[in-house]
């Protein structure tokens, strides 16, 4: 009997311009071709918008959107001269 497939979580962290978006798209395309579910997230909307795998429906989302994190602010920022 084949072992039950396991979920794989990855964190890819590197400096700007090192190919993270390319790597995300390559992994997502492999998942799509091999019929594995795939979610791609990034810490900012700008980074998430850079991930797009054409003709697959796979796009990047922000981490707070993917994990349904709702920010709850308990204080407000006020300027003393306003």
């Amino acid at each position: 009997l084949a072992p039950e497939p396991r979920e794989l979580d990855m964190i890819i962290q590197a400096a700007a311009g090192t190919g993270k978006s390319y790597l995300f798209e390559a992994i997502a395309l492999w998942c799509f071709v091999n019929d594995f579910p795939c979610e791609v997230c990034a810490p900012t909307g700008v980074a998430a918008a850079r991930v797009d795998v054409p003709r697959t429906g796979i796009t990047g989302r922000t981490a707070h959107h993917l994990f349904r994190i709702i920010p709850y602010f308990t204080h407000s920022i006020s300027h003393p001269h306003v």
Side-chain angles (χ1 to χ4, degrees):
L1 293 172
E4 187 70 27
R6 295 181 2 198
E7 185 175 297
L8 174 64
D9 297 323
M10 287 195 240
I11 296 174
I12 300 170
Q13 182 177 352
T18 57
K20 293 180 299 294
S21 295
Y22 178 83
L23 182 59
F24 286 146
E25 291 170 8
I27 292 169
L29 185 57
W30 184 91
C31 290
F32 180 79
V33 168
N34 291 285
D35 202 29
F36 284 95
C38 178
E39 299 281 349
V40 179
C41 71
T44 66
V46 171
R50 292 187 53 88
V51 178
D52 180 28
V53 185
R55 297 182 300 279
T56 65
I58 298 171
T59 59
R61 295 189 283 173
T62 59
H64 65 273
H65 183 256
L66 178 65
F67 299 115
R68 295 178 180 86
I69 298 169
I70 300 169
Y72 178 71
F73 299 105
T74 58
H75 1 225
S76 63
I77 298 173
S78 60
H79 190 278
H81 301 292
V82 176

